[in-house]
Amino acid sequence: MMATPASSEPGTRGRILDAAERLVQSRGFNGFSYADVASELGVTKASLHYHFPSKAELGEALIARYSARFVAALGQIDADGLAPAAKLAAYAALYAQVLREERMCLCGMLAAEYETLPAPMRHAILSFFDHNQGWLRTVMEDGRADRSMSFDGTAEDGAQTILGGLEGALLVARPYHDVGRFETAATRLIAGVTGAR
Amino acid sequence: MMATPASSEPGTRGRILDAAERLVQSRGFNGFSYADVASELGVTKASLHYHFPSKAELGEALIARYSARFVAALGQIDADGLAPAAKLAAYAALYAQVLREERMCLCGMLAAEYETLPAPMRHAILSFFDHNQGWLRTVMEDGRADRSMSFDGTAEDGAQTILGGLEGALLVARPYHDVGRFETAATRLIAGVTGAR
DNA sequence: GTCTATAGGCAGATAGAC
DNA sequence: GTCTATCTGCCTATAGAC
């Protein structure tokens, strides 16, 4: 049901992305350095620059891989043939898994640092949110169509509320090291927005 | 209805806090430097160190002032004698005002960078969330008591969902420069969690 | 209180040997 | 591809004059 959480690619390039991804998700893009990645991998900083000439390019590669993994996970949820409400629960479970690794969503973290990031990274972050919101909107439209969901306003607005709500639940729950805190909020959030009683 | 948004204290110390606060809320604690504050104020870095010997102490002072301002704003909302639902709307309006200045909530921003911060700042961030959640819980309990609100589960869980939801709505809406995006989510969030139809 | 000057360290990045 | 060595610049922080 879930895309491979990490350690997906083989080779040095993949190991760099794995280490950098974990560092960004826990410390932020401005909170880690090439030296951090190098020491974790047992290589030199110069070696990293061979694979990713600049930190900005490393950042772009991180978002691209993370987004692709998320797209795959959403495709898998669709392929599982779940009911709309179950799809939303599966979606929230993706976030819960991130929190279990004591991480923030990569793009949620980068959204906080948005003002400091180069344009290509900014665009990729918005694309991530757009894609997620589009998927959520479709699920909510399906739920309304089959009468399993009932809600005011547009599915787009509902999708936006869920996306932001889950990102914020992650943001606040992580410092407390409390996954239950996230899950409670996620359940109420989905129920509240979709009209479940 | 709203506490003074900024520029509250006079004197150099207050001007330093004002500039640093804006920088942290837009760029993050790891995304600004003493040089940024100094150039904005037209003083030297050394002068800043006279008022705040270390960046960590500046960070603690920022959270303390921000929290005090928020406590005052919540007290004002209580003093206005609003109905519980109106109190929640007023609470959300505090966040909307932050977004209008193209900022993130100070403590929401710092929550993202939590892993990189010194212990005193961490504790102050959690205290901010605890206080806000406690206030929201009381409002929801009042709403349930006077039957103006109806919701499943505990008021504590509902308060937590609103707090995280609003933080996340800010986080995601800010890169889009879209206050309407926040307000739509905030309205649905409050309605969904409190049982409004 | 604010300044000049500077220390000491770490950041991202490059050149060139192997 | 990975290394050693190095560059340049910025970072936080301090000393001491005014």
Side-chain angles (χ1 to χ4, degrees):
Chain A
M1 182 266 261
M2 165 85 190
T4 317
S7 312
S8 47
E9 282 185 65
T12 303
R13 186 188 154 92
R15 292 177 59 229
I16 294 170
L17 288 171
D18 288 343
E21 182 178 80
R22 190 189 62 75
L23 284 163
V24 174
Q25 287 185 260
S26 62
R27 302 177 53 88
F29 193 73
N30 295 325
F32 89 102
S33 70
Y34 269 47
D36 294 328
V37 179
S39 80
E40 190 165 319
L41 267 53
V43 298
T44 61
K45 290 186 291 173
S47 177
L48 302 184
H49 279 285
Y50 169 80
H51 296 278
F52 302 98
S54 74
K55 199 181 178 185
E57 290 169 86
L58 171 58
E60 292 175 52
L62 285 173
I63 304 172
R65 194 182 70 156
Y66 191 83
S67 294
R69 204 184 284 149
F70 236 88
V71 167
L74 300 188
Q76 185 58 54
I77 292 175
D78 286 333
D80 287 345
L82 305 172
K87 286 189 179 183
L88 294 185
Y91 183 79
L94 295 175
Y95 284 70
Q97 185 53 35
V98 168
L99 184 59
R100 260 179 221 107
E101 294 166 11
E102 300 188 350
R103 305 189 191 194
M104 176 64 188
C105 168
L106 180 78
C107 289
M109 177 66 81
L110 296 176
E113 301 177 291
Y114 191 81
E115 284 296 312
T116 72
L117 302 177
M121 288 184 68
R122 292 188 185 191
H123 297 145
I125 293 162
L126 296 190
S127 293
F128 175 86
F129 288 142
D130 290 343
H131 185 86
N132 276 264
Q133 190 167 317
W135 184 85
L136 287 167
R137 189 202 65 231
T138 299
V139 172
M140 290 189 68
E141 285 169 350
D142 290 348
R144 174 177 263 167
D146 73 7
R147 296 173 175 262
S148 65
M149 291 180 182
S150 163
F151 50 88
D152 294 335
T154 67
E156 184 79 21
D157 289 349
Q160 178 198 311
T161 306
I162 291 177
L163 176 62
L166 291 178
E167 290 286 354
L170 267 192
L171 183 73
V172 176
R174 192 174 62 116
Y176 289 93
H177 300 289
D178 186 352
V179 180
R181 194 183 178 97
F182 168 82
E183 289 172 336
T184 300
T187 301
R188 293 184 74 105
L189 190 62
I190 292 174
V193 171
T194 57
R197 286 279 128 188
Chain B
M1 179 265 262
M2 165 85 191
T4 317
S7 311
S8 46
E9 282 184 65
T12 303
R13 186 189 154 93
R15 291 176 60 230
I16 294 170
L17 288 171
D18 288 343
E21 182 178 81
R22 191 189 62 75
L23 284 162
V24 174
Q25 286 185 259
S26 62
R27 302 177 53 89
F29 194 74
N30 296 326
F32 88 104
S33 71
Y34 269 46
D36 295 327
V37 179
S39 80
E40 191 165 319
L41 266 54
V43 297
T44 61
K45 292 183 288 173
S47 177
L48 303 184
H49 279 284
Y50 169 80
H51 296 278
F52 301 98
S54 74
K55 198 180 178 186
E57 288 168 87
L58 172 57
E60 291 175 52
L62 285 173
I63 304 173
R65 193 181 71 155
Y66 191 84
S67 294
R69 203 183 285 150
F70 236 88
V71 167
L74 300 188
Q76 186 57 55
I77 292 175
D78 286 334
D80 286 344
L82 304 173
K87 286 188 179 184
L88 295 186
Y91 182 79
L94 295 175
Y95 283 71
Q97 185 54 36
V98 169
L99 184 60
R100 261 180 220 104
E101 293 166 11
E102 299 188 350
R103 306 189 192 194
M104 175 64 189
C105 168
L106 181 78
C107 289
M109 177 66 82
L110 296 176
E113 301 177 291
Y114 192 80
E115 284 296 311
T116 72
L117 302 176
M121 288 184 68
R122 292 189 186 192
H123 297 144
I125 293 161
L126 296 190
S127 293
F128 174 86
F129 288 142
D130 290 344
H131 185 86
N132 276 264
Q133 190 168 317
W135 184 86
L136 287 167
R137 189 202 64 232
T138 299
V139 173
M140 290 190 68
E141 285 169 349
D142 290 348
R144 174 177 265 168
D146 72 9
R147 294 173 175 263
S148 66
M149 291 180 182
S150 162
F151 50 88
D152 293 334
T154 67
E156 184 79 22
D157 288 349
Q160 178 199 310
T161 305
I162 291 177
L163 176 62
L166 291 178
E167 290 286 355
L170 267 192
L171 183 73
V172 176
R174 192 174 62 117
Y176 289 93
H177 300 288
D178 185 352
V179 180
R181 194 183 177 99
F182 169 81
E183 288 171 336
T184 300
T187 301
R188 293 185 72 105
L189 190 61
I190 292 174
V193 170
T194 57
R197 288 278 128 189

